[in-house]
Amino acid sequence: MKLVRLIANLGYGSRKEVAQLFRAGLITDRSGEVLYADDQVAHGDILLDGAPLDPPAGMVLMLHKPLGVTCSRKDAGRLVYDLLPPRYAVRTPALSTVGRLDRDTSGLLLLTDDGALLHRIISPRAQIAKVYEASLAQDLRGDEAALFASGSLMLDSEKEPLAPAQLDVLGPRQARLSIAEGRYHQVRRMFAAVGNHVEALHRVAIGGLRLEGLAPGQWCALDADDIARVFNAG
Ligand code: URA
């Protein structure tokens, strides 16, 4: 791919604007040599105004989604994309959230521009555990773990029962729930089905990838080992 298109696709500007960056000598290699639009250079060797380029297509980000932001491209309030550099919202191919977390759910959210990878992670057939910690309004009754594991729990307005899910009791009103599906408001609806109410919900892991070392609102790019962890149960 021509360098102008490659850099424009990363969201640094239109092709015309990127061509202007070349003319201004702002695109160099690591030794400081000015690059030209027709040069053949490895992505990792290109600097823009002295800084390495963002990762190429195939990028995967892990974000600690804070409360109060929406997993949507257009919404009246704050969006997860507002937490990233503005150019990330205009990359080609587009960066999408891997599934969604509700506005009032915090925790591990993946974003990627790799559609095939996204579907491999969210497909119920892939059986990748999404692990949540929930604070509840009422004490647990004691029968929830068996019901959630049974594979027979039917939520309102659903046609199929839920696949078995694992509940670990962490305290009278605290639980960890691991689900392999991603139905609408699934965790909140599961606890509602047993007469409870989720007061706070936080996703701690997807597969074997845990949310560690990121404060709310912080994010990082994942490498191949991190991505492999998603597919290997922790
Ligand atoms: N289940 C929910 O109810 N909400 C989320 O954000 C994720 C799973």
Side-chain angles (χ1 to χ4, degrees), residues 65 100-106 130 132 179 181-190 198 201 203:
K65 179 193 169 298
R100 288 181 171 217
L101 291 177
D102 301 335
R103 204 162 76 93
D104 47 359
T105 300
S106 57
K130 286 89 185 174
Y132 296 85
I179 60 177
E181 301 170 285
R183 301 200 204 181
Y184 182 66
H185 292 335
Q186 180 169 337
V187 175
R188 288 173 208 278
R189 290 165 71 212
M190 288 173 76
V198 172
L201 188 59
R203 184 154 68 190

Side-chain angles (χ1 to χ4, degrees), residues 147-229:
L147 181 60
F148 291 173
S150 69
S152 64
L153 178 62
M154 189 72 108
L155 295 180
D156 280 350
S157 67
E158 297 271 347
K159 294 197 178 70
E160 299 281 334
L162 293 178
Q166 186 184 329
L167 183 84
D168 296 307
V169 176
L170 304 177
R173 296 184 181 188
Q174 290 286 332
R176 186 184 306 117
L177 180 60
S178 178
I179 60 177
E181 301 170 285
R183 301 200 204 181
Y184 182 66
H185 292 335
Q186 180 169 337
V187 175
R188 288 173 208 278
R189 290 165 71 212
M190 288 173 76
F191 283 105
V194 290
N196 216 320
H197 174 75
V198 172
E199 291 196 321
L201 188 59
H202 181 74
R203 184 154 68 190
V204 294
I206 298 179
L209 180 72
R210 298 190 60 78
L211 179 65
E212 274 159 4
L214 295 177
Q218 287 186 333
W219 58 275
C220 64
L222 297 188
D223 62 21
D225 287 346
D226 298 321
I227 297 164
R229 262 182 220 116

Side-chain angles (χ1 to χ4, degrees), residues 36-119:
Y36 296 92
D38 285 333
D39 286 340
Q40 301 281 324
V41 191
H43 190 108
D45 292 333
I46 305 171
L47 302 184
L48 197 167
D49 208 6
L53 292 181
D54 294 334
M59 178 170 86
V60 185
L61 304 181
M62 171 163 75
L63 169 72
H64 183 159
K65 179 193 169 298
L67 297 173
V69 301
T70 307
C71 294
S72 148
R73 288 185 191 287
K74 285 196 183 126
D75 193 85
R78 286 177 74 217
L79 311 178
V80 290
Y81 295 97
D82 298 336
L83 300 165
L84 305 172
R87 61 181 177 274
Y88 279 34
V90 291
R91 280 172 64 112
T92 306
L95 188 62
S96 303
T97 64
V98 179
R100 288 181 171 217
L101 291 177
D102 301 335
R103 204 162 76 93
D104 47 359
T105 300
S106 57
L108 197 172
L109 181 71
L110 296 176
L111 297 104
T112 186
D113 57 13
D114 181 338
L117 176 70
L118 188 154
H119 285 108

